[in-house]
Amino acid sequence: MPPPRPPRRALSPAGCPGRGRPRERPPGGRRSQRAPAGQQDMAARLATPTGRAHYRQRSALVEPGFAQIFQRFGRHLNYRGHNAVDAEIKLLGTVHNLNKLIKHTPKNRS
């Protein structure tokens, strides 16, 4: 037989340590909404007609490959950490490309 449980105490919001104190905000009210430098560079490139044309090609070249990899291997990776994830994604891409080569290579019929 398990030991008896102690009686439950009523919870009160007055016991909350942050209750009643205003939130501390950085000077100027809101945080800075400035985009990272790489994002600003990309936005500047996409602002030109040539940049928009190059980016439009991405949907035909890159996105189908990602969709096919996600469909075949799933969206979850088995490893954590930048180097491990990078290696796993490269391995999945290599397997994907090798499968495409094997399937589309004409077979000699004799």
Side-chain angles (χ1 to χ4, degrees), residues 50-64:
T50 308
R52 280 193 298 271
H54 284 301
Y55 194 74
R56 204 173 300 124
Q57 287 180 343
R58 176 186 166 93
S59 63
L61 298 175
V62 177
E63 299 298 336

Side-chain angles (χ1 to χ4, degrees), residues 6 14 21-22 26 31 36 39-40 43 52 55 59 70 73 83 87 94 96 100 102:
R21 279 191 259 156
R31 288 189 201 149
Q39 190 174 352
Q40 291 173 351
R52 280 193 298 271
Y55 194 74
S59 63
F70 286 152
F73 301 109
N83 292 335
T94 303
H96 174 71
K100 285 170 83 174
I102 291 168

Side-chain angles (χ1 to χ4, degrees), residues 68-69 72-73 90-105:
Q68 291 162 6
I69 288 172
R72 178 176 218 140
F73 301 109
K90 287 177 181 175
L91 178 64
L92 292 176
T94 303
V95 169
H96 174 71
N97 288 333
L98 284 173
N99 278 327
K100 285 170 83 174
L101 279 172
I102 291 168
K103 285 182 180 180
H104 295 292
T105 302

